[in-house]
Amino acid sequence: HEAEGAPGEASGDSPETTRAGDADGGAGAAVGDAASAAAPDRDHSPSPQEALVERVFTAARSEPGTGDFTRRLELAIRDRSPVRVTAEARGEVRTFTLLPVSVSAGRLRAADQSAGVERTLPITLITAVESV
């Protein structure tokens, strides 16, 4: 029994010692992880989600009302009713009375009946859309 007891006790102590070492190592690793987690906060590189939110917010501020204009134009297309469209390009503001035909790829295609031509305007240049 002495031969069995000595090796059994030694092997019983080893795993417990190893586990205690792992626990200490785990705590040390957790402290290291906390320190490395604090480092990005000082640099504050944005997460992918924060970057996406910022891009969407910037786009909404740079093109105010674009969604509203598109909706008004789509309703005019459906109803086949003319609209007064104001567009600004290079500091020049122009107003057209148009019969919208389609909105696609960020552009309005419409018939300008007073000039007898079809016009294509980028939605981003449109500053106002009014029913006639």
Side-chain angles (χ1 to χ4, degrees):
H1 289 289
E2 290 174 28
E4 279 181 27
E9 289 172 6
S11 64
D13 289 341
S14 293
E16 289 175 16
T17 305
T18 305
R19 280 187 218 125
D22 285 346
D24 291 341
V31 170
D33 291 343
S36 64
D41 288 342
R42 282 181 240 144
D43 297 339
H44 190 61
S45 55
S47 71
Q49 291 84 6
E50 290 173 330
L52 176 62
V53 168
E54 183 60 32
R55 284 196 311 268
V56 170
F57 184 68
T58 302
R61 278 185 290 162
S62 67
E63 299 176 24
T66 302
D68 186 43
F69 295 155
T70 303
R71 178 74 180 139
R72 288 182 193 178
L73 293 168
E74 287 171 348
L75 289 173
I77 293 166
R78 185 191 72 190
D79 297 339
R80 295 185 178 142
S81 60
V83 291
R84 184 171 295 114
V85 175
T86 304
E88 183 177 351
R90 297 182 210 110
E92 184 179 336
V93 178
R94 296 195 56 194
T95 301
F96 305 97
T97 300
L98 304 171
L99 182 61
V101 175
S102 71
V103 175
S104 65
R107 296 184 177 276
L108 164 67
R109 201 178 99 221
D112 185 342
Q113 294 173 338
S114 62
V117 297
E118 185 174 274
R119 298 192 186 275
T120 303
L121 298 170
I123 299 291
T124 56
L125 298 182
I126 297 174
T127 58
V129 176
E130 303 167 4
S131 297
V132 177

